[in-house]
Amino acid sequence: TPSFAAPEQINAGRISVATDIFALSAVCLSLLIDDSPLPEDRVLKSCAGDEEYIYRVLKSNIVDKDLRNVLNKGLQHDPSKRYRSMDAFADDLDSWLAFQPVTASPDSLLYRVKKFAQRRRALFATLTTLMATMVVSILVLAWQINKTQKEAEKAQQVKNFMLDVFSTVNPDQALGEKYMQKTC
């Protein structure tokens, strides 16, 4: 039906697998939002406002960013920007369901860590706690080393003071009297 047809179908363009991917994406979005995913006057406008309309519908109705990206990629106006095959589309949906990275979302280390944390909550919490404990331990150890070094400097100063005091005083004299050493 025109409500789910790809722009190239409405505009008498070349039909391909990408056309079916668009239609399936439109059906998926329709099921999720319980409404028509595309504007009703799109046939009259030759799909001119589809992209903006789809963007608004996805932004306002789909909370999950990855699912939004998957559906957006499937609903691209340009067929070359859609999934290359139904398998690729299905793989991304399976990945989304399994909390794994999807190809429709930009890849980064932070994104992969976030997906790992969603899949393995207990392990991620344990690793995060372990890392936090290690950081705190290192900071406490550095503080303790610094404190010990300051105490060592004070002890060195006291030692130097005492050595200076004893180097200026003759131990053989006391209150003006000289003690004789006994020779045996």
Side-chain angles (χ1 to χ4, degrees):
T1 65
S3 300
F4 298 98
E8 62 269 18
Q9 235 174 339
I10 291 174
N11 296 324
R14 185 175 169 270
I15 307 299
S16 67
V17 172
T19 307
D20 294 332
I21 291 171
F22 184 94
L24 183 59
S25 299
V27 169
C28 289
L29 183 57
S30 176
L31 291 171
L32 289 169
I33 65 172
D34 197 30
D35 197 9
S36 177
L38 298 163
E40 293 187 19
D41 61 347
R42 64 192 297 254
V43 175
L44 298 173
K45 293 182 178 180
S46 297
C47 304
D50 281 4
E51 289 182 89
E52 295 83 21
Y53 187 85
I54 290 169
Y55 177 78
R56 283 194 313 274
V57 168
L58 287 171
K59 189 76 171 168
S60 63
N61 293 301
I62 307 297
V63 176
D64 188 276
K65 199 177 209 180
D66 283 337
L67 180 58
R68 194 178 331 140
N69 289 340
V70 169
L71 292 173
N72 188 43
K73 186 171 180 176
L75 291 167
Q76 287 293 307
H77 187 77
D78 182 2
S80 67
K81 292 182 180 177
R82 293 182 207 142
Y83 289 97
R84 298 276 179 223
S85 67
M86 281 292 185
D87 287 336
F89 182 58
D91 288 345
D92 253 6
L93 286 174
D94 286 341
S95 294
W96 173 74
L97 287 170
F99 298 106
Q100 294 179 342
V102 296
T103 61
S105 292
D107 194 20
S108 68
L109 179 61
L110 182 61
Y111 173 69
R112 290 186 172 276
V113 168
K114 180 182 161 192
K115 288 304 196 181
F116 177 79
Q118 287 177 335
R119 282 191 317 270
R120 313 282 181 159
R121 292 180 193 270
L123 178 60
F124 185 76
T126 303
L127 290 174
T128 303
T129 304
L130 179 63
M131 294 280 285
T133 303
M134 287 176 51
V135 167
V136 169
S137 299
I138 289 171
L139 291 174
V140 167
L141 184 61
W143 174 76
Q144 190 66 34
I145 288 172
N146 188 24
K147 187 177 173 184
T148 304
Q149 286 175 340
K150 285 181 181 179
E151 289 298 320
E153 287 175 12
K154 285 181 186 177
Q156 185 66 33
Q157 289 173 351
V158 169
K159 176 185 157 193
N160 289 340
F161 173 76
M162 296 302 285
L163 287 175
D164 285 345
V165 167
F166 286 122
S167 68
T168 58
V169 175
N170 186 348
D172 292 333
Q173 292 181 344
L175 300 174
E177 294 183 22
K178 192 170 187 174
Y179 290 99
M180 300 296 283
Q181 288 182 344
K182 294 184 180 179
T183 56
C184 299

